[in-house]
Amino acid sequence: MEEKQNAIEVRNLSKAFKVAYDKPTTLKEHLVSLGKRNQVERRTVLENINLDIKKGETVALIGTNGSGKSTLLKLMTKILYPTKGTLKTYGKVTSLLELGAGFHPDFTGRENIYFNASIFGLTRDEIDNRIGDIIEFSELEEFIDNPIRTYSSGMYMRLAFSIAINVDADILLIDEILAVGDQHFNDKCYKKLRELRDSDKTIVIVSHSLDAVKDLCRRAIWIYKGHVQLDGDPNYVINEYLNQIALDHKETRKKQEKEGNRKNRGIVFIDGPNSFTHFTPTKNHFVIRGWSLCDYEDAELRIFVDETQILDYIKISRPDVIEAYIQEFAGFIENDDVGYECSFDISTLSFGEHHIRVLLYDLINNVEITDKDVVFYYDPVEVI
């Protein structure tokens, strides 16, 4: 079997940035900056990175914010250059890094297609032949002759992605830009990316959507504190990544407790009933359901209808919530039963406005961590 050639080669790469202190302009700033004048701090973002990405591979770069994965992607595009080491790419490169990059806000979507595609190396004739496909994929036919300063962030992303996939690049680099699109267009984009993957294009993507990484990529590279921590099968790499996040979160909490500045964080959500729902005597009961998450072990969920606390509720499985918050609350989610559900006898209420309040309560310090409130109405007759 013939070994595939490399599309990207990274050797002994390091990247550092200079951080200069601003010149003080007030007396307070002068006092605070004593001893720091003219100092320049060097922050190393990536250190001694060595990678080979083969032609036709679809690779995800994963890691927490600030780990260096987006910097590595920018080095691949030659937007940045390494402080040490080398990075070589073999083939035509196109990228989707920052929203609106390569666009001029005062020109129309159609004009920006010509500008942006020419940056990626297409001639006028090539753009003429492809502009119909670009506009069709973006679904922006109605707005294509409007200045793009009038576009939403999602419309920017649609146009940028549509151009990038139509320039016939050998290497496609994507940095989390798909996160701003609506679900319909995101699904369409990932379908197109799967087609490109199967057509032997090289794709490198930075994403916090771990399920998308598992679905799209055949390889994941975990960047941790500027180093390659793990490189291999996405399922295994992601599992180890989440384990490390859990350990880091717990270490951070211990440090905060030691320093006396621990702040508990929680989220409470009420799925139903919706705010301003009207109930009538035709229904004796209604169901309250939702979910909660907290990074504090001694937190208690409490549910109230007006001043009446509901003690009889059940915990239910919510894998959708776990999927959305697994990175943020890693180490504090023991199982997936973060949902709650209970029933309330509405006939005990007087007619008029009422409130459902769900909160997380700190049992040690006797304070509320967070809460959510929903207003509903109990009407004597049905509201039409």
Side-chain angles (χ1 to χ4, degrees), residues 51-63:
L51 289 174
D52 283 335
I53 296 176
K54 302 291 185 182
K55 290 186 177 180
E57 274 196 302
T58 302
V59 180
L61 303 178
I62 65 172

Side-chain angles (χ1 to χ4, degrees), residues 106-265:
D106 291 329
F107 292 103
T108 67
R110 188 183 303 275
E111 290 167 335
N112 272 286
I113 290 174
Y114 282 92
F115 296 149
N116 201 254
S118 64
I119 292 172
F120 292 134
L122 293 189
T123 65
R124 176 83 186 200
D125 289 341
E126 288 174 326
I127 301 171
D128 287 339
N129 292 332
R130 302 178 195 192
I131 192 167
D133 293 334
I134 293 171
I135 296 172
E136 181 181 1
F137 190 92
S138 71
E139 301 175 2
L140 294 173
E141 293 91 343
E142 186 179 347
F143 310 98
I144 201 63
D145 292 309
N146 295 343
I148 65 167
R149 67 171 181 270
T150 64
Y151 285 15
S152 67
S153 59
M155 293 165 74
Y156 264 99
M157 188 278 287
R158 284 171 176 253
L159 191 60
F161 187 88
S162 302
I163 295 169
I165 62 173
N166 278 283
V167 298
D168 288 340
D170 302 300
I171 303 170
L172 178 59
L173 308 174
I174 304 175
D175 187 4
E176 202 62 58
I177 190 174
L178 299 180
V180 302
D182 58 73
Q183 191 61 49
H184 156 71
F185 197 76
N186 274 357
D187 292 342
K188 186 176 179 180
C189 289
Y190 278 111
K191 181 180 178 181
K192 185 64 180 180
L193 288 175
R194 284 189 286 272
E195 291 176 8
L196 293 173
R197 175 196 65 191
D198 297 338
S199 68
D200 219 29
K201 300 290 185 182
T202 303
I203 301 172
V204 183
I205 184 169
V206 168
S207 180
H208 290 285
S209 177
L210 300 182
D211 282 345
V213 168
K214 292 177 183 179
D215 174 62
L216 180 66
C217 302
R218 299 292 179 262
R219 177 183 172 193
I221 300 170
W222 168 23
I223 308 295
Y224 183 66
K225 296 181 179 179
H227 297 82
V228 175
Q229 186 78 357
L230 205 57
D231 179 354
D233 177 73
N235 288 287
Y236 178 71
V237 173
I238 287 170
N239 185 64
E240 293 301 302
Y241 164 61
L242 292 175
N243 288 339
Q244 184 63 55
I245 290 178
L247 292 173
D248 290 347
H249 283 177
K250 289 182 178 179
E251 285 300 315
T252 300
R253 298 300 277 168
K254 287 180 182 178
K255 183 179 178 181
Q256 290 174 343
E257 286 177 351
K258 187 177 180 180
E259 296 174 351
N261 60 356
R262 171 170 175 166
K263 293 182 180 180
N264 300 322
R265 182 170 185 271

